[in-house]
Amino acid sequence: MHRRHTLLLLATLLLPPLTHAHQVPSLTIEANFTPEGQLTLSINLDPRLFLAEDPTTLPPIAAPWFRDQSPEAKTQTLADALTYVQSALTFFFDDQQAAALPWQFEPIDGATNGPFTDTTAEVHFLATCKTQRPATATTSTVRLEPKAKAAAVLLNSLNQQTERRPQILFPGESSRPFSLTPKNP
């Protein structure tokens, strides 16, 4: 029995370096609603999702890849990020698809989700959008399109009260409806 545990431990220690496995990219979506109808969306976007047809084939993207780009190349990279977000996610209020959302992108530290600095090793992008929900809307849902290439974690909140259970979405799935009506205490 002791020998079997030793072999299992050795296999566990040696297998990852031999397989060169990369962390699977995912999306984290935060949707923050206010009772007055304001919506702030934030998405942590791993650039591998728009750089490769199969994002698991790439290692995490090193910060110099973005840091050293020309201004024109950075503009194109952010345009590619926008194209990805628009094709991977569809937002709904009740059963109506949301109008085009005004996304903004900025590079962030992929390890800490903090500011992108000279010491950042891995780059991600923070996509943010501030908008107003339709006045008559009572629910919100998100559909993760098949083109997303990765799973998403959705965190909804209303009036700074975060939903107790985050939702995990796989490409082709829609979230359960999130009520935009404050609950009575």
Side-chain angles (χ1 to χ4, degrees):
M1 185 72 139
H2 177 65
R3 182 169 187 241
R4 193 166 103 191
H5 286 286
T6 303
L7 289 175
L8 187 59
L9 178 62
L10 283 173
T12 303
L13 294 174
L14 294 176
L15 200 53
L18 294 175
T19 60
H20 302 290
H22 300 136
Q23 179 184 8
V24 177
S26 66
L27 293 165
T28 303
I29 308 161
E30 295 181 40
N32 299 300
F33 296 90
T34 67
E36 298 79 33
Q38 290 283 18
L39 166 60
T40 302
L41 292 165
S42 301
I43 300 173
N44 184 326
L45 177 62
D46 187 321
R48 294 179 287 173
L49 293 170
F50 61 86
L51 290 176
E53 189 60 39
D54 180 359
T56 62
T57 62
L58 294 178
I61 304 300
W65 166 79
F66 184 74
R67 188 181 296 123
D68 297 343
Q69 288 182 6
S70 69
E72 295 80 17
K74 285 181 180 179
T75 298
Q76 183 59 52
T77 295
L78 297 178
D80 292 345
L82 174 61
T83 298
Y84 172 81
V85 167
Q86 290 174 330
S87 68
L89 298 165
T90 306
F91 295 88
F92 293 87
F93 294 107
D94 296 328
D95 293 331
Q96 297 296 314
Q97 184 174 336
L101 298 172
W103 291 103
Q104 296 182 334
F105 293 83
E106 67 178 288
I108 60 171
D109 188 303
T112 66
N113 296 332
F116 188 75
T117 67
D118 290 340
T119 60
T120 296
E122 176 186 347
V123 66
H124 280 197
F125 294 98
L126 179 63
T128 56
C129 169
K130 292 186 180 194
T131 190
Q132 186 77 22
R133 69 170 169 84
T136 59
T138 59
T139 63
S140 171
T141 56
V142 177
R143 183 171 60 218
L144 186 63
E145 301 296 344
K147 296 177 182 181
K149 305 179 203 173
V153 176
L154 172 62
L155 303 164
N156 286 308
S157 66
L158 176 61
N159 203 21
Q160 299 182 350
Q161 298 296 314
T162 303
E163 218 176 9
R164 288 185 181 189
R165 292 176 296 175
Q167 297 181 59
I168 308 298
L169 303 174
F170 294 96
E173 293 183 343
S174 293
S175 67
R176 63 183 175 268
F178 179 71
S179 176
L180 303 176
T181 308
K183 293 177 176 51
N184 293 330

